[in-house]
Amino acid sequence: MPETKATDQKANEYGYRSFLLGKFRFERDEYFAHLAWPDGSHTIQVDAFLRALMRDISWNFFYGIVNFDGVFGTTNHYGNVDVFAGLYNAGYTNQNKQYVENFNSEQVRDLFAAMLDDWTNEGFDPFAAPAETGSPFGSKHGSNRAAITRKRLVAERMVGLAGDIAKRSDAAGNPVNRQFVDVNQDEPEVHAEPGFENEVHAFNFFAYVSRSDVTWNPSVCSAVKESQVCATTEEFMLPIIHGNDRVEWFVQLTDEIHWDIQDRDTGVPRARVIMKPGDVAAMPADIRHQGYSPKRSMLLVWENNDSTLPELYAKKRLKPNPVDF
Ligand code: PHB
Ligand code: FE
């Protein structure tokens, strides 16, 4: 098994430890994460790096590819994970300069979590909108464990059912976000026939989402077999460029998100999609995308969790777009 460890228990001159994952080396200074591998190196501004790292860890490498930027990222094989540099960048692959190592998922998650913990300063929350968090920059000062160990919310059946994810409220410590003070907070009345109390359920989805304190972090609000309805509040930009291994449906519930869509494997631009309230998009299985939300907005992401899908798309047994117009 390739080696992973914190290289120097002793911190560098800025107070940060360095980390080794196989032949990848990670260092940080006041402004940047510096990455190196046997035949290359790369620099990412540290706020962007920590925001991407946070999501890669808490989504357990997500569906398919998590590009931190156009060079570095991870490909999820659900149990093991490729860590790559330049693998989905035509500039690198045309020169055969890409570099990839495969690890078991737990090994990468543990090292990434240790790095995030060491590199996150007091007051910086990688899940928060830039307007709602302190700065990640400078030499090491304190930590922010409460922010970086949040659990991803995954409903078994639906938010608000007995024994499932609870609805949000002021009393539970989930105030309405500053951008959503106009969102109606009334809950629906449910009158189930006797004997069906556990089968009929409803909750105010907009009210629930208006109380999210994180951005670009879909939480599963309802699950029916492999169909997962995920809600998320977005502000500023998606901190990763997501390479799909299945189709994803987006429903824009409020405000606006601008999406850059590129070819998944090369990064060649393919489309710009400006989504306004009520717009629905089916993101194909062979693209990557990054979204920009000028104001805090609500997005519904509909995921198909069926684990046989990546292979069906890879073998072209399913076509990448679910609808032809
Ligand atoms: C996506 O890559 O599809 C994605 C990720 C996080 C979000 C929204 C969409 O908050
Ligand atoms: Fe996506």
Side-chain angles (χ1 to χ4, degrees):
M1 191 186 289
E3 211 183 1
T4 66
K5 60 178 183 184
T7 49
D8 306 311
Q9 288 311 316
K10 220 162 57 67
N12 66 13
E13 60 183 299
Y14 309 104
Y16 300 107
R17 282 157 54 207
S18 312
F19 294 85
L20 281 183
L21 179 63
K23 295 198 171 70
F24 283 97
R25 186 185 172 91
F26 302 84
E27 292 176 40
R28 95 152 266 188
D29 59 20
E30 291 179 295
Y31 285 121
F32 298 107
H34 299 279
L35 284 52
W37 54 93
D39 193 22
S41 64
H42 186 57
T43 305
I44 305 180
Q45 62 192 69
V46 81
D47 55 333
F49 183 79
L50 294 175
R51 289 187 176 110
L53 189 62
M54 177 80 258
R55 281 146 184 98
D56 212 14
I57 296 165
S58 79
W59 303 346
N60 202 12
F61 307 108
F62 207 30
Y63 295 112
I65 303 164
V66 170
N67 296 284
F68 284 43
D69 63 3
V71 174
F72 178 76
T74 58
T75 307
N76 195 357
H77 300 296
Y78 308 94
N80 62 86
V81 58
D82 291 335
V83 178
F84 62 79
L87 185 63
Y88 303 102
N89 179 315
Y92 279 75
T93 52
N94 287 344
Q95 302 295 324
N96 202 25
K97 285 288 185 190
Q98 70 280 5
Y99 184 75
V100 195
E101 279 190 68
N102 182 268
F103 304 92
N104 77 48
S105 303
E106 214 169 296
Q107 201 182 353
V108 183
R109 218 174 35 241
D110 289 351
L111 185 104
F112 278 9
M115 181 156 62
L116 181 68
D117 183 48
D118 190 70
W119 290 8
T120 301
N121 286 316
E122 183 178 358
F124 179 64
D125 179 351
F127 268 131
E132 295 184 342
T133 181
S135 164
F137 300 121
S139 53
K140 185 167 169 67
H141 50 281
S143 60
N144 198 355
R145 294 232 160 101
I148 65 173
T149 55
R150 284 185 183 97
K151 267 212 148 43
R152 187 174 183 211
L153 298 174
V154 179
E156 276 287 313
R157 292 202 292 160
M158 200 191 285
V159 165
L161 276 171
D164 215 320
I165 301 280
K167 285 189 282 193
R168 298 182 178 129
S169 64
D170 288 341
N174 319 115
V176 174
N177 183 268
R178 76 195 198 290
Q179 302 272 23
F180 291 138
V181 288
D182 57 343
V183 172
N184 186 298
Q185 298 291 319
D186 295 345
E187 286 296 325
E189 289 179 25
V190 178
H191 303 275
E193 289 291 319
F196 291 89
E197 293 85 352
N198 190 36
E199 307 295 325
V200 183
H201 178 65
F203 71 104
N204 183 339
F205 190 84
F206 280 81
Y208 179 77
V209 181
S210 74
R211 294 172 178 275
S212 168
D213 66 342
V214 294
T215 61
W216 303 103
N217 187 32
S219 64
V220 180
C221 290
S222 79
V224 179
K225 298 189 178 159
E226 302 293 5
S227 168
Q228 299 184 330
V229 170
C230 308
T232 162
T233 53
E234 320 297 41
E235 185 173 332
F236 190 51
M237 60 199 281
L238 176 58
I240 63 153
I241 309 168
H242 180 220
N244 284 2
D245 67 1
R246 67 198 67 206
V247 169
E248 289 178 312
W249 289 83
F250 290 165
V251 183
Q252 189 71 40
L253 297 181
T254 75
D255 301 277
E256 209 168 288
I257 299 179
H258 304 197
W259 289 95
D260 277 340
I261 322 289
Q262 304 170 333
D263 180 82
R264 182 190 56 201
D265 298 332
T266 63
V268 169
R270 200 146 123 185
R272 286 269 297 163
V273 175
I274 314 294
M275 294 191 69
K276 305 209 171 172
D279 285 349
V280 178
M283 293 283 171
D286 61 352
I287 57 95
R288 67 202 200 191
H289 51 201
Q290 184 164 36
Y292 308 89
S293 189
K295 288 186 180 160
R296 203 178 193 86
S297 69
M298 295 186 189
L299 178 68
L300 187 156
V301 182
W302 182 29
E303 297 279 8
N304 188 334
N305 194 44
D306 183 339
S307 62
T308 64
L309 288 173
E311 195 186 339
L312 293 174
Y313 286 113
K315 293 196 165 147
K316 303 205 187 315
R317 305 248 309 275
L318 289 173
K319 57 184 180 121
N321 55 313
V323 198
D324 288 307
F325 295 103

